[in-house]
Amino acid sequence: MEMKHTKYPFMSNVVASEPKPAVFDCSTQPDGSLRLSWAPLLPQEMADQLLHKMAAQGTLNDRTVGIFRSCEQLRLRRACVRSSPLSAEAFRLALCPHRLQELDASGVPGGLTGAHILSGLASNPECRASLQRLTLSRLQLGWTSLEVKEEQVGFSSLQGLRTLNLANTDLTDPFLEDICTLPQLEVLDISSTPVTELSALLGCRLTLRSLTAHGLRQLDMSPARVISILSQLHALRHLDLSDDRFVSGDEAVRLLLEGGSGILPALVSLDVSGRKKVTEGAVTAFVEGRRGLLFLGLLATGAGSCDVLSGKNNLKVTGEANEKQICESLRRYRERECFTREALVHLYQLTNDMYNQTRPDILKLVLGGMQNYSESLHVQLVASACVFNLTNQDMAVGMPHPLLSAVVHQVLEAMRSFPSHQQLQKNCLLVLCSDTILQDVPFDRFEAAKLVMNWLSGHVDRTLQRMAVAVISILVAKLSTEQTTQLGADIFIMKQLLGIVQQKAMAGVVDSTLKFALSALWNLTDETPTASRHFIQCQGLELYEEVLKTYSSESSIQQKVLGLLNNIAEVEELQADMMQEDLLEHVVTLLQGPQVEVGISYFAGGILAHLTSRQDAWTLDQGLRQTILEQLHAAILTWALPEREMVSYRSFRPFFSLLQTSQPAGVQLWAVWAMHLVCTQNGVQYCQMLQVEGAVELLKTLSSDLDTHSNVRGMAESILGMVERHQTTSNPLRTQTEKGHHGRS
């Protein structure tokens, strides 16, 4: 089979000091895996970072891990394949030949078991001695396969191990005995395993410094026996006996707390979170008997308010008594969903009273909880409520945008993961309904618009409907033309928004929901023929005619309606649908008048300019067309430039057909007036757009044509003058050079 050679920029942004990616030359092997054909010799730390980054980004698999078979170019010491789908064979071939010091294979799916990992590591004599830290949490250990050539391979074969994490595995008593024979074992985590007996721990009583025994629900020992075993672990400094079942009391914990300083006197860290009915007296006695205590876990015990804790500045406490304890809980319990949720519940109550306080430190902790438990409805529900409290009103203004961007991404993930949960969707919608987030923070607005539209289809709550439509209106305005086209291709969205307009129009209501819906439809049809066709198909034109008449005194409504009809009129194939004499005669009445604002006249003029620009497509009386052109020309001459920005354009291309020298003067005049308007209000953006899109040449042609009406010529020349001044301002050196050339000639 032919091997294919490909170059991969694997090292892109692995470290901040190396912005340029190192390109590796790889070949695809017959088994589908990659091999390095060429690569620079990387420092060992960079190889570790590369592997870690690939795992974190979800790109590490049987195919890509093959590049690490090249031990000379990519030398691994601290390997992380966390949650990466690897087979036993791929793991053995790519990682086991390295002289590893650390390995994190927690949560690896795809059939790789602890047995496979132990067998592979033990096959390398160097690894047997060099490996110091091993993490296999949330992994099926698969003990039945732990035999190689009649020799049972256990953890004791890795004689260099100092730290071992087997939390949430199927660890059994015999293998715990094997583990405790390790001569250098210092840190052990056996949380949530089916271990029934702890006597094996005495095998490492002189070396074990940290024991995490959270949630040992199958433990079959008397409380006195448990304390007896623990008290003999002379090197123990850190002990975790917490339980997320929130059990009502535990005799072993009581004996430990009240047993005096004679039990584990060197302990500097104790966690009994989740152990209900821990008394304040017991906590006081324990703390006072250990001056060197640095950490105490009391979340969900009810004992976090002990007076003795307030006077210990060096003592960190997890609990719910105050902000400091809650935040410490979120930092400490990243790997424990139940404790994370418990801390978030108390944080939500706390943040209800955080008015006008910008707290990115707390928001970052909440984000961590959302990211760690993206599939947990309970965590997402309370976390999204906390996010709203922390970003509500002006509180988001001072937040770092990268942090807010990550938060919004996670909020959208929650909306996508739990589409049927009304309260969660409501929380997420409330978060999105923020001016700072919608206007300034970078995130996937296209995806957000789709999610909010989907939510809107199944809910009629007026307050939430208003917020949803407001969010959609702002999001659509921020999309690119390509994204708007893609969004507008879904006729369901058009039906939803038109339904809201119809609902409000039938009741004669003027509110923000109606205005936002009209704005969203206006933006949705901007340079998107598909959405414009859907508008016609959904009887939008008939509805908008009624809205024009119903809201004749509401200028803001009329302007949005006419703006959308202007978009429809730009689409040549839809112009025939607008050839309705009653409609056009009504639009003509909006061209000018003492009660008509220039914004209304402007969009009315745009509709008429586009519809009259194609004489061969005009299906009504020619006399009406001529009358419209004359009235359009005369009306434009009376328009005054508005003081505030009235309209924005993504492109001038829809104007190009109106600027042809063959067009009637009224059509040309409306187009140049529109260009003059936006260039006057935002010259930097629109003068450049004129140049980039080629509109300058059209204006020059129009200006030099002898048949061009003087009004049109004057406006065109004014625009060209603005473009020239913009060029001078933006590039003065070029202008001075050009002047020098002119002087010499």
Side-chain angles (χ1 to χ4, degrees), residues 11-22 46:
M11 291 301 296
S12 178
N13 299 322
V14 169
V15 288
S17 60
E18 185 65 34
K20 292 184 179 180
M46 288 187 82

Side-chain angles (χ1 to χ4, degrees), residues 92-198:
R92 182 182 65 81
L93 293 174
L95 298 182
C96 293
H98 295 268
R99 193 173 185 274
L100 296 178
Q101 295 175 358
E102 299 179 9
L103 172 64
D104 182 351
S106 55
V108 172
L112 181 64
T113 67
H116 295 135
I117 292 173
L118 279 180
S119 175
L121 295 174
S123 67
N124 181 349
E126 289 189 328
C127 259
R128 285 178 178 256
S130 66
L131 192 68
Q132 299 179 24
R133 181 188 297 265
L134 179 60
T135 300
L136 302 180
S137 60
R138 296 179 287 113
L139 198 66
Q140 184 70 28
L141 296 180
W143 299 120
T144 55
S145 61
L146 278 181
E147 292 196 10
V148 179
K149 296 181 180 179
E150 301 181 356
E151 177 188 356
Q152 192 176 65
V153 178
F155 288 98
S156 59
S157 62
L158 304 175
Q159 289 287 292
L161 270 184
R162 295 176 180 271
T163 299
L164 179 60
N165 184 343
L166 297 174
N168 296 284
T169 67
D170 51 341
L171 176 69
T172 57
D173 293 345
F175 286 95
L176 178 60
E177 292 180 9
D178 175 63
I179 289 167
C180 292
T181 64
L182 288 167
Q184 303 181 69
L185 186 64
E186 297 179 352
V187 179
L188 178 62
D189 189 341
I190 56 173
S191 300
S192 301
T193 62
V195 167
T196 65
E197 172 66 51
L198 297 180

Side-chain angles (χ1 to χ4, degrees), residues 405-471:
S405 181
V407 167
V408 173
H409 173 77
Q410 207 58 45
V411 164
L412 296 179
E413 283 294 318
M415 292 185 73
R416 188 182 299 107
S417 299
F418 305 99
S420 302
H421 197 279
Q422 184 168 346
Q423 186 59 51
L424 176 63
Q425 294 287 321
K426 177 181 178 180
N427 291 353
C428 295
L429 187 60
L430 286 167
V431 171
L432 291 176
C433 200
S434 159
D435 285 341
T436 298
I437 288 175
L438 290 174
Q439 299 288 356
D440 303 328
V441 176
F443 64 95
D444 191 342
R445 287 173 168 78
F446 175 65
E447 184 65 22
K450 291 194 298 181
L451 288 170
V452 177
M453 279 303 314
N454 289 335
W455 179 89
L456 187 61
S457 65
H459 300 83
V460 293
D461 182 281
R462 291 186 178 181
T463 301
L464 296 179
Q465 184 190 68
R466 175 182 59 80
M467 289 191 296
V469 175
V471 169

Side-chain angles (χ1 to χ4, degrees), residues 736-745:
Q736 291 172 6
T737 304
E738 290 173 351
K739 287 181 179 179
H741 285 311
H742 290 315
R744 284 193 294 272
S745 63

